[in-house]
Amino acid sequence: MSRIVLFGAGGRAGRRILAQARARGHDVLAVMRHPHAHPDIDGVTGDVTDVADVRRLTAGADAVINAGASMDVPPDQFFSASTHALIGGLQTRRLLVIGIGTTLEPTPGIRLVDTPDFPDEAKPFTVGHALELELLQQSPSELDWVVVTPPPVVIAEHTETGPLLVSAGPELLHSFDPTFTYTDLAVATVDEIDNPTHHRTQIAVVRN
């Protein structure tokens, strides 16, 4: 059993990760900015963009997961602030961050967001996640981080899961099952805690 601190526990990804981790017997501290908005979740108040909150809440943790996002501030500001706070305040080495599929590379060295037909309206959130990844890559070597990245598809809300394939790097796999659920994402994330396989890298997860 690991002690896990989960930021963004009230979100679509966070809820599934929380359920998956607790089902496997892990002790999970569910952190939310507004716990009163999620009365069904047993959790605490905390802000992943606040280095003092990160330092306080992650003391004694074996691993930390950031599934947080915000619609209240521009994505580049939120993901920059959260990553700086995690790098500066984390009280454990192991950090898993939920990424976005549009940062993956359909061609080596070229991200999906940089392709000619990528829609402008989808760029801000992708750029925020790309900045997050860049900051992690520049972080001190003792931080053992992984960005768990779903495919660039509409992720389904239901609880179904299936066989998963993990690519150890930012490569966008061209042949995969387009069905992907938040439970799939949760399974892949908690798998990486149960069996730490990847280190200081972005990984792509798809249905096999």
Side-chain angles (χ1 to χ4, degrees), residues 27 29 36 42 49 73 85 113 115-116 128 132-133 135 157 159-160 162 168 174 180 188 198 202 208:
D27 176 15
L29 179 65
H36 62 273
D42 175 20
T49 67
V73 296
V113 67
T115 55
E132 171 184 69
L133 178 58
L135 292 171
E157 296 276 2
T159 59
E160 177 193 344
H174 290 276
F180 196 83
H198 304 93
Q202 179 182 24
N208 196 357

Side-chain angles (χ1 to χ4, degrees), residues 1-2 4 20-21 23-26 63 94 96 186-197:
M1 181 183 76
S2 295
I4 301 169
Q20 183 68 211
R24 297 193 197 185
H26 294 296
R94 189 64 168 164
L96 284 83
V187 168
T189 302
V190 182
D191 280 351
E192 192 62 35
I193 289 177
D194 289 343
N195 182 26
T197 303

Side-chain angles (χ1 to χ4, degrees), residues 62-133:
D62 298 305
V64 173
I65 302 171
N66 181 24
S70 176
M71 301 297 109
D72 302 331
V73 296
D76 59 337
Q77 293 181 23
F78 174 81
F79 289 110
S80 174
S82 63
T83 309
H84 278 300
L86 287 164
I87 292 172
L90 209 65
Q91 299 296 294
T92 185
R93 293 184 65 248
R94 189 64 168 164
L95 171 65
L96 284 83
V97 175
I98 303 304
I100 190 170
T102 47
T103 60
L104 296 173
E105 300 177 2
T107 303
I110 300 176
R111 301 171 303 181
L112 189 60
V113 67
D114 299 322
T115 55
D117 296 328
F118 192 84
D120 289 340
E121 63 272 16
K123 285 184 177 178
F125 213 71
T126 304
V127 169
H129 275 286
L131 177 58
E132 171 184 69
L133 178 58

Side-chain angles (χ1 to χ4, degrees), residues 8 27 50 64 67 89 117 136 138 145-146 179 181 187 189-190:
D27 176 15
D50 185 316
V64 173
D117 296 328
L136 288 170
Q138 297 169 358
W145 58 268
V146 177
T179 303
T181 71
V187 168
T189 302
V190 182

Side-chain angles (χ1 to χ4, degrees), residues 12 15 43-44 47 49 54 56 75 106 112 119-120 126 146 155 180:
R12 289 174 292 184
R15 284 176 172 272
V44 301
D47 183 353
T49 67
V54 171
R56 171 177 59 87
L112 189 60
D120 289 340
T126 304
V146 177
I155 303 179
F180 196 83

